[in-house]
Amino acid sequence: MDIAAAKRNDPAARSKFEIWLTYSGVKALSWHRWANFLYRMHFKLLARITSQFAKFLTGIEIHPAAKIAPGVFIDHGQGVVIGETAEVGTGTVLYQGCTLGGTGKESGKRHPTVGEFCVISAGAKILGNITVGDHAKVGAGAVVLKNVPPYATVVGVPARVVRIGGSKDGVDLYQEKGDPYLTEICALRERAFALEERLKNLEADKQQKEDGNENL
């Protein structure tokens, strides 16, 4: 199913034999299936050795305990990292440099659960025990720290919903509106204006006092 997923999602793929022979994402998933089997059989050291060998060959690091459904496609794949308790659903596409990681503050289930037929774009970071709903899309370079609704598109740092099912209607029901960095910049600008006005008034008061002393 992994080869079929690559053929379905990559227009550059010419044949299943070529995919099997040359696609690093398919190779990484094949090694992961074996490493995951060893891990479940409690050969955990051997499973880790296998996953690290696959990382050396492909540049893709997948913890052997991660649950990856059949039919996932890792496109290009260099720099992809998938954590121990991460789960990825059927039909999902992962692009190079994306991370399904933890925040470093949790125990137990501490990595994301990605639903079916999602798209995780290049460089995206999905962190913590959160859920990305089915058919959701995560934009390139986004940092996702909250649950993503099904069929939603999220972008930015931190990521925010910009579309749901192709429409912008109702996105405020799911996450905060606006860019927090823009809000902070506006607040700093207003403070700068207030300080400039105060300085102007102080200079005017000082000038009046100097003029009064000269008249005396």
Side-chain angles (χ1 to χ4, degrees):
M1 287 188 69
D2 295 334
I3 293 176
K7 186 73 168 60
R8 181 175 62 251
N9 288 286
D10 187 1
R14 294 180 296 179
S15 69
K16 291 184 178 181
F17 179 72
E18 179 184 53
I19 292 169
W20 175 79
L21 197 63
T22 64
Y23 278 48
S24 60
V26 172
K27 292 179 181 295
L29 288 171
S30 296
W31 281 105
H32 171 70
R33 309 294 182 202
W34 174 241
N36 181 254
F37 172 78
L38 293 173
Y39 195 90
R40 288 186 285 108
M41 294 296 105
H42 302 288
F43 297 108
K44 295 185 177 180
L45 177 59
L46 186 57
R48 289 289 288 173
I49 292 172
T50 301
S51 68
Q52 290 302 300
F53 179 69
K55 175 188 174 184
F56 171 77
L57 291 178
T58 65
I60 299 169
E61 182 170 2
I62 308 175
H63 194 283
K67 298 178 181 178
I68 302 179
V72 170
F73 176 43
I74 301 177
D75 195 6
H76 299 292
Q78 185 70 34
V80 167
V81 177
I82 301 176
E84 178 183 8
T85 60
E87 300 177 33
V88 183
T90 298
T92 289
V93 180
L94 306 172
Y95 288 94
Q96 67 271 17
C98 70
T99 299
L100 308 183
T103 63
K105 301 177 182 178
E106 300 170 316
S107 58
K109 180 70 169 77
R110 61 191 185 278
H111 298 102
T113 297
V114 179
E116 297 181 349
F117 299 100
C118 296
V119 176
I120 313 300
S121 300
K125 313 299 177 186
I126 306 176
L127 306 177
N129 181 19
I130 60 177
T131 299
V132 178
D134 296 344
H135 299 272
K137 296 180 181 180
V138 178
V143 177
V144 184
L145 302 174
K146 296 181 180 180
N147 291 339
V148 178
Y151 294 92
T153 300
V154 298
V155 299
V157 182
R160 61 190 188 280
V161 175
V162 293
R163 290 181 184 274
I164 295 180
S167 172
K168 295 182 179 181
D169 296 336
V171 296
D172 294 343
L173 298 176
Y174 294 91
Q175 293 191 6
E176 297 86 355
K177 181 180 180 181
D179 187 335
Y181 294 106
L182 180 60
T183 301
E184 184 67 20
I185 291 171
C186 290
L188 291 172
R189 183 182 64 180
E190 293 300 322
R191 180 170 175 79
F193 288 158
L195 290 173
E196 287 178 356
E197 186 65 24
R198 183 178 178 185
L199 181 60
K200 183 178 179 180
N201 292 336
L202 289 173
E203 290 177 344
D205 291 342
K206 180 181 178 181
Q207 187 63 43
Q208 287 181 356
K209 290 180 180 179
E210 290 177 352
D211 293 342
N213 290 335
E214 289 178 359
N215 291 334
L216 291 175

